[in-house]
Amino acid sequence: RIKKIRRIIKKMYVVLPFEEPIYKKANVPVEFVGHPFVEIVKPTLTPQEAKKQFGLAPEKYTVGILPGSRRSEIEFLLDPMLQAAKKIQEEIKDCQFVLPIADSIDPEDIKKRISKYSLEIKAVQHNNYNAMNCSDCLMIASGSATLEAGLLTRPMVIIYKLKPLTYWAAKQLVKIKNFGLVNIVAGETVVPELLQHEVTPENISKHVLRFYRETSYREEIQKKLSN
């Protein structure tokens, strides 16, 4: 569609840095203006204050669970995340979990799904940034939330899963190294990604446990995200 854009648009103002060279190559007047998340993503509480407000223990390792804002994402991603949380708690006995619920999702549906597991998960509403910021790491659905988490320098494992036919069609059309926005913007694989058949409780928990056990690995990710 870039040919149509060149024909009808006088100038493009883009919010992601990798977009600018694409339009320049196609001879479309373009200017990178920066992403509005830089000004929007501002927690209102310190991590310790947020933990207190959410009823979390200040000293315990905290994992954020962000399954997405679409019903299809909840269907495909929440159960593997919760199953991963079970495995994580087997290894980190005093680990705690917080799940910020997107405004587009029925909170009762989320709570009903959580109740199937013997897990104490603090589900919070209208408090995404504080919930992310008080987490030591995140299990997160691919999407704009990964950019928000990146701005907060939270180590994360990005996951995504589609219906098999949709995934097959997308694979034929799109050839990219990374699918997570935070990695695409960085131009490298800063945080791990799990796609389609890779989205298993074992794989998700493996990455979260590595964040917990390897301080130098976690700090290196945070350093790259801060850049």
Side-chain angles (χ1 to χ4, degrees):
R1 63 183 179 177
I2 200 162
K3 292 180 181 178
K4 184 176 181 180
I5 290 172
R6 183 172 58 208
R7 188 172 68 252
I8 65 175
I9 298 296
K10 290 183 178 180
K11 187 170 183 177
M12 290 291 295
Y13 293 93
V14 296
V15 299
L16 297 171
F18 61 83
E19 295 176 300
E20 190 174 37
I22 294 172
Y23 285 107
K24 282 184 175 179
K25 187 177 179 181
N27 294 317
V28 177
V30 62
E31 182 180 344
F32 170 61
V33 295
H35 203 289
F37 278 176
V38 174
E39 300 299 327
I40 295 171
V41 181
K42 305 287 186 184
T44 57
L45 303 170
T46 67
Q48 296 302 310
E49 289 170 340
K51 284 183 178 181
K52 184 177 180 181
Q53 181 170 305
F54 300 148
L56 296 167
E59 74 283 358
K60 290 184 179 180
Y61 194 77
T62 306
V63 178
I65 302 174
L66 289 92
S69 59
R70 299 183 180 91
R71 184 162 186 81
S72 60
E73 292 171 332
I74 302 301
E75 292 291 337
F76 281 115
L77 304 178
L78 183 54
D79 280 328
M81 286 179 164
L82 295 175
Q83 291 160 12
K86 287 283 288 182
K87 290 184 173 294
I88 293 161
Q89 197 157 62
E90 289 171 6
E91 298 292 327
I92 312 171
K93 300 301 182 185
D94 61 349
C95 184
Q96 57 190 2
F97 302 91
V98 60
L99 194 161
I101 303 173
D103 292 340
S104 56
I105 299 297
D106 180 0
E108 293 307 314
D109 182 33
I110 297 292
K111 291 173 184 176
K112 184 179 178 181
R113 289 171 183 270
I114 292 174
S115 68
K116 297 176 185 177
Y117 299 84
S118 301
L119 284 166
E120 187 174 337
I121 297 175
K122 299 293 182 180
V124 301
Q125 293 177 263
H126 318 302
N127 236 322
N128 284 20
Y129 298 152
N130 287 320
M132 282 193 274
N133 197 45
C134 79
S135 300
D136 293 288
C137 69
L138 306 170
M139 299 184 267
I140 188 167
S142 179
S144 57
T146 68
L147 286 180
E148 296 171 321
L151 287 167
L152 296 170
T153 67
R154 296 299 89 195
M156 69 191 93
V157 52
I158 302 173
I159 71 172
Y160 213 70
K161 197 171 184 181
L162 301 164
K163 290 181 179 178
L165 186 59
T166 305
Y167 173 67
W168 178 86
K171 198 172 180 182
Q172 308 311 305
L173 295 170
V174 181
K175 308 291 182 184
I176 54 175
K177 179 183 176 183
N178 294 111
F179 65 89
L181 267 176
V182 71
N183 284 334
I184 294 172
V185 170
E188 62 175 309
T189 307
V190 175
V191 299
E193 301 177 342
L194 299 172
L195 180 63
Q196 210 63 10
H197 66 276
E198 299 171 334
V199 179
T200 66
E202 292 76 16
N203 285 340
I204 299 169
S205 60
K206 177 185 71 176
H207 288 294
V208 171
L209 290 170
R210 188 181 179 193
F211 294 144
Y212 174 73
R213 291 169 177 155
E214 299 182 28
T215 304
S216 59
Y217 173 62
R218 185 172 66 248
E219 290 176 347
E220 179 63 22
I221 288 175
Q222 290 180 303
K223 182 180 177 182
K224 287 183 177 180
L225 290 174
S226 67
N227 293 331

